[in-house]
Amino acid sequence: MTKWFTAVWPVVTFILGGGSAYLRDFITERRQITRDAKARQAERDKVITERRETFELDHLERLNEALHRLGRAAGRAHDTDMRTSRQDWRLRRHSNRR
């Protein structure tokens, strides 16, 4: 029985070693594939975020310019209205004295 065991044991350990090496390589490759997929997804998310931020910044700058123009126009309209109101008030005041 000892001869049988010494003849079979190296074959069994060889098969177990090969199987464990295959399993280790399989797990390592699977982890690498998962890691690469996550890295690609992170890169896509980063690009999408950058595009969104650029889009939002562009629109906010346009909105700021439009609001600035609107404020200036409203100020000019208010100034014109106040000048007209003062002139009317002065004309009425002078016309009531006569």
Side-chain angles (χ1 to χ4, degrees), residues 4 12-13 19 23 25 33 39 46 49 55 57 61-63 73 75-76 85-86 88 91 95 98:
W4 177 82
V12 171
T13 57
L23 182 62
D25 291 345
I33 290 170
K46 181 180 175 185
T49 301
F55 175 79
L57 182 60
E61 287 174 350
R62 289 185 196 179
L63 178 63
R76 282 193 300 273
S85 177
R86 285 187 202 124
D88 286 349
L91 289 174
S95 64
R98 294 184 187 170

PDB file of all heavy atoms in Angstrom, residues 4 12-13 19 23 25 33 39 46 49 55 57 61-63 73 75-76 85-86 88 91 95 98:
ATOM      1  N   TRP A   4       1.766   2.083  -3.591  1.00  0.00           N
ATOM      2  CA  TRP A   4       0.627   2.644  -4.296  1.00  0.00           C
ATOM      3  C   TRP A   4       0.435   4.118  -3.915  1.00  0.00           C
ATOM      4  O   TRP A   4       0.227   4.965  -4.774  1.00  0.00           O
ATOM      5  CB  TRP A   4      -0.618   1.824  -3.950  1.00  0.00           C
ATOM      6  CG  TRP A   4      -1.866   2.372  -4.566  1.00  0.00           C
ATOM      7  CD1 TRP A   4      -2.286   2.172  -5.825  1.00  0.00           C
ATOM      8  CD2 TRP A   4      -2.826   3.209  -3.945  1.00  0.00           C
ATOM      9  NE1 TRP A   4      -3.457   2.832  -6.060  1.00  0.00           N
ATOM     10  CE2 TRP A   4      -3.817   3.494  -4.893  1.00  0.00           C
ATOM     11  CE3 TRP A   4      -2.952   3.759  -2.665  1.00  0.00           C
ATOM     12  CZ2 TRP A   4      -4.911   4.292  -4.622  1.00  0.00           C
ATOM     13  CZ3 TRP A   4      -4.051   4.555  -2.400  1.00  0.00           C
ATOM     14  CH2 TRP A   4      -5.014   4.819  -3.376  1.00  0.00           C
ATOM     15  N   VAL A  12      -1.791  13.248  -7.621  1.00  0.00           N
ATOM     16  CA  VAL A  12      -2.890  13.974  -6.957  1.00  0.00           C
ATOM     17  C   VAL A  12      -2.463  15.398  -6.627  1.00  0.00           C
ATOM     18  O   VAL A  12      -3.215  16.355  -6.873  1.00  0.00           O
ATOM     19  CB  VAL A  12      -3.347  13.206  -5.697  1.00  0.00           C
ATOM     20  CG1 VAL A  12      -4.317  14.045  -4.878  1.00  0.00           C
ATOM     21  CG2 VAL A  12      -3.971  11.882  -6.068  1.00  0.00           C
ATOM     22  N   THR A  13      -1.270  15.575  -6.072  1.00  0.00           N
ATOM     23  CA  THR A  13      -0.807  16.932  -5.737  1.00  0.00           C
ATOM     24  C   THR A  13      -0.609  17.765  -6.991  1.00  0.00           C
ATOM     25  O   THR A  13      -0.866  18.971  -6.991  1.00  0.00           O
ATOM     26  CB  THR A  13       0.492  16.883  -4.915  1.00  0.00           C
ATOM     27  OG1 THR A  13       1.493  16.173  -5.638  1.00  0.00           O
ATOM     28  CG2 THR A  13       0.260  16.271  -3.561  1.00  0.00           C
ATOM     29  N   GLY A  19      -5.198  22.683 -10.504  1.00  0.00           N
ATOM     30  CA  GLY A  19      -6.563  23.183 -10.288  1.00  0.00           C
ATOM     31  C   GLY A  19      -6.573  24.453  -9.457  1.00  0.00           C
ATOM     32  O   GLY A  19      -7.309  25.405  -9.763  1.00  0.00           O
ATOM     33  N   LEU A  23      -7.812  28.134 -10.632  1.00  0.00           N
ATOM     34  CA  LEU A  23      -8.801  28.866  -9.847  1.00  0.00           C
ATOM     35  C   LEU A  23      -8.283  30.244  -9.453  1.00  0.00           C
ATOM     36  O   LEU A  23      -8.998  31.241  -9.569  1.00  0.00           O
ATOM     37  CB  LEU A  23      -9.200  28.066  -8.597  1.00  0.00           C
ATOM     38  CG  LEU A  23     -10.257  28.687  -7.698  1.00  0.00           C
ATOM     39  CD1 LEU A  23     -11.567  28.835  -8.461  1.00  0.00           C
ATOM     40  CD2 LEU A  23     -10.445  27.850  -6.447  1.00  0.00           C
ATOM     41  N   ASP A  25      -5.966  32.034 -11.026  1.00  0.00           N
ATOM     42  CA  ASP A  25      -5.917  32.866 -12.225  1.00  0.00           C
ATOM     43  C   ASP A  25      -7.313  33.324 -12.648  1.00  0.00           C
ATOM     44  O   ASP A  25      -7.501  34.465 -13.069  1.00  0.00           O
ATOM     45  CB  ASP A  25      -5.259  32.097 -13.376  1.00  0.00           C
ATOM     46  CG  ASP A  25      -3.775  31.873 -13.148  1.00  0.00           C
ATOM     47  OD1 ASP A  25      -3.194  32.539 -12.256  1.00  0.00           O
ATOM     48  OD2 ASP A  25      -3.194  31.005 -13.845  1.00  0.00           O
ATOM     49  N   ILE A  33     -11.125  42.265 -14.562  1.00  0.00           N
ATOM     50  CA  ILE A  33     -12.206  42.669 -15.471  1.00  0.00           C
ATOM     51  C   ILE A  33     -13.183  43.597 -14.756  1.00  0.00           C
ATOM     52  O   ILE A  33     -13.597  44.624 -15.297  1.00  0.00           O
ATOM     53  CB  ILE A  33     -12.927  41.416 -16.032  1.00  0.00           C
ATOM     54  CG1 ILE A  33     -12.005  40.685 -16.998  1.00  0.00           C
ATOM     55  CG2 ILE A  33     -14.238  41.790 -16.704  1.00  0.00           C
ATOM     56  CD1 ILE A  33     -12.523  39.317 -17.421  1.00  0.00           C
ATOM     57  N   ALA A  39     -13.434  51.259 -13.687  1.00  0.00           N
ATOM     58  CA  ALA A  39     -12.619  52.400 -14.118  1.00  0.00           C
ATOM     59  C   ALA A  39     -13.219  53.054 -15.358  1.00  0.00           C
ATOM     60  O   ALA A  39     -13.263  54.286 -15.463  1.00  0.00           O
ATOM     61  CB  ALA A  39     -11.186  51.947 -14.391  1.00  0.00           C
ATOM     62  N   LYS A  46     -17.209  60.805 -15.196  1.00  0.00           N
ATOM     63  CA  LYS A  46     -16.429  62.046 -15.109  1.00  0.00           C
ATOM     64  C   LYS A  46     -16.663  62.913 -16.340  1.00  0.00           C
ATOM     65  O   LYS A  46     -16.871  64.130 -16.222  1.00  0.00           O
ATOM     66  CB  LYS A  46     -14.948  61.704 -14.980  1.00  0.00           C
ATOM     67  CG  LYS A  46     -14.048  62.903 -14.866  1.00  0.00           C
ATOM     68  CD  LYS A  46     -12.595  62.473 -14.747  1.00  0.00           C
ATOM     69  CE  LYS A  46     -11.683  63.681 -14.761  1.00  0.00           C
ATOM     70  NZ  LYS A  46     -10.275  63.285 -14.757  1.00  0.00           N
ATOM     71  N   THR A  49     -20.145  64.393 -16.176  1.00  0.00           N
ATOM     72  CA  THR A  49     -20.189  65.470 -15.186  1.00  0.00           C
ATOM     73  C   THR A  49     -19.532  66.735 -15.723  1.00  0.00           C
ATOM     74  O   THR A  49     -20.054  67.842 -15.551  1.00  0.00           O
ATOM     75  CB  THR A  49     -19.495  65.021 -13.887  1.00  0.00           C
ATOM     76  OG1 THR A  49     -20.162  63.862 -13.384  1.00  0.00           O
ATOM     77  CG2 THR A  49     -19.531  66.110 -12.838  1.00  0.00           C
ATOM     78  N   PHE A  55     -22.032  72.863 -19.592  1.00  0.00           N
ATOM     79  CA  PHE A  55     -23.333  73.293 -20.085  1.00  0.00           C
ATOM     80  C   PHE A  55     -23.992  74.251 -19.097  1.00  0.00           C
ATOM     81  O   PHE A  55     -24.478  75.325 -19.489  1.00  0.00           O
ATOM     82  CB  PHE A  55     -24.215  72.056 -20.305  1.00  0.00           C
ATOM     83  CG  PHE A  55     -25.621  72.352 -20.701  1.00  0.00           C
ATOM     84  CD1 PHE A  55     -25.933  72.684 -22.007  1.00  0.00           C
ATOM     85  CD2 PHE A  55     -26.647  72.295 -19.767  1.00  0.00           C
ATOM     86  CE1 PHE A  55     -27.240  72.952 -22.381  1.00  0.00           C
ATOM     87  CE2 PHE A  55     -27.949  72.560 -20.131  1.00  0.00           C
ATOM     88  CZ  PHE A  55     -28.245  72.888 -21.443  1.00  0.00           C
ATOM     89  N   LEU A  57     -22.577  76.036 -16.691  1.00  0.00           N
ATOM     90  CA  LEU A  57     -21.811  77.276 -16.573  1.00  0.00           C
ATOM     91  C   LEU A  57     -22.085  78.194 -17.759  1.00  0.00           C
ATOM     92  O   LEU A  57     -22.270  79.407 -17.577  1.00  0.00           O
ATOM     93  CB  LEU A  57     -20.319  76.961 -16.464  1.00  0.00           C
ATOM     94  CG  LEU A  57     -19.395  78.154 -16.285  1.00  0.00           C
ATOM     95  CD1 LEU A  57     -19.748  78.905 -14.999  1.00  0.00           C
ATOM     96  CD2 LEU A  57     -17.955  77.707 -16.257  1.00  0.00           C
ATOM     97  N   GLU A  61     -23.768  81.866 -17.401  1.00  0.00           N
ATOM     98  CA  GLU A  61     -23.120  83.081 -17.894  1.00  0.00           C
ATOM     99  C   GLU A  61     -24.054  83.856 -18.820  1.00  0.00           C
ATOM    100  O   GLU A  61     -24.143  85.082 -18.736  1.00  0.00           O
ATOM    101  CB  GLU A  61     -21.827  82.723 -18.625  1.00  0.00           C
ATOM    102  CG  GLU A  61     -20.718  82.295 -17.690  1.00  0.00           C
ATOM    103  CD  GLU A  61     -19.484  81.799 -18.429  1.00  0.00           C
ATOM    104  OE1 GLU A  61     -19.552  81.612 -19.677  1.00  0.00           O
ATOM    105  OE2 GLU A  61     -18.464  81.587 -17.774  1.00  0.00           O
ATOM    106  N   ARG A  62     -24.748  83.123 -19.701  1.00  0.00           N
ATOM    107  CA  ARG A  62     -25.715  83.785 -20.591  1.00  0.00           C
ATOM    108  C   ARG A  62     -26.839  84.427 -19.789  1.00  0.00           C
ATOM    109  O   ARG A  62     -27.269  85.547 -20.093  1.00  0.00           O
ATOM    110  CB  ARG A  62     -26.315  82.784 -21.567  1.00  0.00           C
ATOM    111  CG  ARG A  62     -25.361  82.318 -22.620  1.00  0.00           C
ATOM    112  CD  ARG A  62     -26.101  81.429 -23.577  1.00  0.00           C
ATOM    113  NE  ARG A  62     -25.199  80.644 -24.386  1.00  0.00           N
ATOM    114  CZ  ARG A  62     -25.597  79.782 -25.287  1.00  0.00           C
ATOM    115  NH1 ARG A  62     -26.884  79.579 -25.488  1.00  0.00           N
ATOM    116  NH2 ARG A  62     -24.729  79.100 -25.991  1.00  0.00           N
ATOM    117  N   LEU A  63     -27.328  83.721 -18.781  1.00  0.00           N
ATOM    118  CA  LEU A  63     -28.393  84.265 -17.938  1.00  0.00           C
ATOM    119  C   LEU A  63     -27.917  85.514 -17.205  1.00  0.00           C
ATOM    120  O   LEU A  63     -28.644  86.509 -17.112  1.00  0.00           O
ATOM    121  CB  LEU A  63     -28.860  83.210 -16.929  1.00  0.00           C
ATOM    122  CG  LEU A  63     -29.934  83.645 -15.946  1.00  0.00           C
ATOM    123  CD1 LEU A  63     -31.218  84.008 -16.687  1.00  0.00           C
ATOM    124  CD2 LEU A  63     -30.188  82.553 -14.931  1.00  0.00           C
ATOM    125  N   ALA A  73     -31.656  98.081 -18.623  1.00  0.00           N
ATOM    126  CA  ALA A  73     -32.823  98.613 -19.344  1.00  0.00           C
ATOM    127  C   ALA A  73     -33.889  99.073 -18.355  1.00  0.00           C
ATOM    128  O   ALA A  73     -34.505 100.134 -18.544  1.00  0.00           O
ATOM    129  CB  ALA A  73     -33.392  97.540 -20.277  1.00  0.00           C
ATOM    130  N   GLY A  75     -33.343 100.124 -15.358  1.00  0.00           N
ATOM    131  CA  GLY A  75     -32.821 101.356 -14.749  1.00  0.00           C
ATOM    132  C   GLY A  75     -33.013 102.556 -15.654  1.00  0.00           C
ATOM    133  O   GLY A  75     -33.387 103.644 -15.198  1.00  0.00           O
ATOM    134  N   ARG A  76     -32.735 102.361 -16.951  1.00  0.00           N
ATOM    135  CA  ARG A  76     -32.947 103.467 -17.902  1.00  0.00           C
ATOM    136  C   ARG A  76     -34.424 103.845 -17.983  1.00  0.00           C
ATOM    137  O   ARG A  76     -34.779 105.023 -18.013  1.00  0.00           O
ATOM    138  CB  ARG A  76     -32.429 103.082 -19.290  1.00  0.00           C
ATOM    139  CG  ARG A  76     -30.923 103.184 -19.417  1.00  0.00           C
ATOM    140  CD  ARG A  76     -30.478 103.116 -20.875  1.00  0.00           C
ATOM    141  NE  ARG A  76     -30.863 101.871 -21.531  1.00  0.00           N
ATOM    142  CZ  ARG A  76     -30.146 100.757 -21.517  1.00  0.00           C
ATOM    143  NH1 ARG A  76     -29.001 100.720 -20.860  1.00  0.00           N
ATOM    144  NH2 ARG A  76     -30.570  99.689 -22.155  1.00  0.00           N
ATOM    145  N   SER A  85     -41.694 112.435 -14.984  1.00  0.00           N
ATOM    146  CA  SER A  85     -42.557 112.756 -13.853  1.00  0.00           C
ATOM    147  C   SER A  85     -42.165 114.093 -13.245  1.00  0.00           C
ATOM    148  O   SER A  85     -43.032 114.908 -12.916  1.00  0.00           O
ATOM    149  CB  SER A  85     -42.462 111.645 -12.816  1.00  0.00           C
ATOM    150  OG  SER A  85     -43.214 111.954 -11.683  1.00  0.00           O
ATOM    151  N   ARG A  86     -40.871 114.336 -13.096  1.00  0.00           N
ATOM    152  CA  ARG A  86     -40.412 115.619 -12.538  1.00  0.00           C
ATOM    153  C   ARG A  86     -40.773 116.778 -13.465  1.00  0.00           C
ATOM    154  O   ARG A  86     -41.186 117.843 -13.009  1.00  0.00           O
ATOM    155  CB  ARG A  86     -38.905 115.595 -12.322  1.00  0.00           C
ATOM    156  CG  ARG A  86     -38.496 114.792 -11.132  1.00  0.00           C
ATOM    157  CD  ARG A  86     -36.998 114.928 -10.863  1.00  0.00           C
ATOM    158  NE  ARG A  86     -36.541 113.805 -10.081  1.00  0.00           N
ATOM    159  CZ  ARG A  86     -35.571 112.971 -10.415  1.00  0.00           C
ATOM    160  NH1 ARG A  86     -34.902 113.157 -11.533  1.00  0.00           N
ATOM    161  NH2 ARG A  86     -35.256 111.973  -9.646  1.00  0.00           N
ATOM    162  N   ASP A  88     -43.241 116.887 -15.646  1.00  0.00           N
ATOM    163  CA  ASP A  88     -44.689 117.096 -15.570  1.00  0.00           C
ATOM    164  C   ASP A  88     -45.058 117.826 -14.283  1.00  0.00           C
ATOM    165  O   ASP A  88     -45.907 118.707 -14.282  1.00  0.00           O
ATOM    166  CB  ASP A  88     -45.441 115.758 -15.622  1.00  0.00           C
ATOM    167  CG  ASP A  88     -45.462 115.145 -17.011  1.00  0.00           C
ATOM    168  OD1 ASP A  88     -45.088 115.847 -17.968  1.00  0.00           O
ATOM    169  OD2 ASP A  88     -45.842 113.959 -17.119  1.00  0.00           O
ATOM    170  N   LEU A  91     -44.080 121.441 -14.680  1.00  0.00           N
ATOM    171  CA  LEU A  91     -44.993 122.137 -15.587  1.00  0.00           C
ATOM    172  C   LEU A  91     -46.338 122.399 -14.921  1.00  0.00           C
ATOM    173  O   LEU A  91     -46.912 123.479 -15.056  1.00  0.00           O
ATOM    174  CB  LEU A  91     -45.195 121.331 -16.876  1.00  0.00           C
ATOM    175  CG  LEU A  91     -44.001 121.268 -17.826  1.00  0.00           C
ATOM    176  CD1 LEU A  91     -44.309 120.323 -18.985  1.00  0.00           C
ATOM    177  CD2 LEU A  91     -43.683 122.665 -18.347  1.00  0.00           C
ATOM    178  N   SER A  95     -47.900 125.996 -14.122  1.00  0.00           N
ATOM    179  CA  SER A  95     -49.165 126.358 -14.767  1.00  0.00           C
ATOM    180  C   SER A  95     -50.227 126.690 -13.717  1.00  0.00           C
ATOM    181  O   SER A  95     -51.133 127.478 -13.985  1.00  0.00           O
ATOM    182  CB  SER A  95     -49.665 125.234 -15.663  1.00  0.00           C
ATOM    183  OG  SER A  95     -49.971 124.102 -14.902  1.00  0.00           O
ATOM    184  N   ARG A  98     -50.192 130.591 -12.477  1.00  0.00           N
ATOM    185  CA  ARG A  98     -50.653 131.657 -13.365  1.00  0.00           C
ATOM    186  C   ARG A  98     -52.094 131.886 -13.264  1.00  0.00           C
ATOM    187  O   ARG A  98     -53.004 131.502 -12.898  1.00  0.00           O
ATOM    188  CB  ARG A  98     -50.313 131.323 -14.807  1.00  0.00           C
ATOM    189  CG  ARG A  98     -48.834 131.320 -15.008  1.00  0.00           C
ATOM    190  CD  ARG A  98     -48.560 131.095 -16.463  1.00  0.00           C
ATOM    191  NE  ARG A  98     -47.118 130.925 -16.621  1.00  0.00           N
ATOM    192  CZ  ARG A  98     -46.556 130.541 -17.705  1.00  0.00           C
ATOM    193  NH1 ARG A  98     -47.254 130.275 -18.764  1.00  0.00           N
ATOM    194  NH2 ARG A  98     -45.293 130.411 -17.795  1.00  0.00           N
TER     195      ARG A  98
END
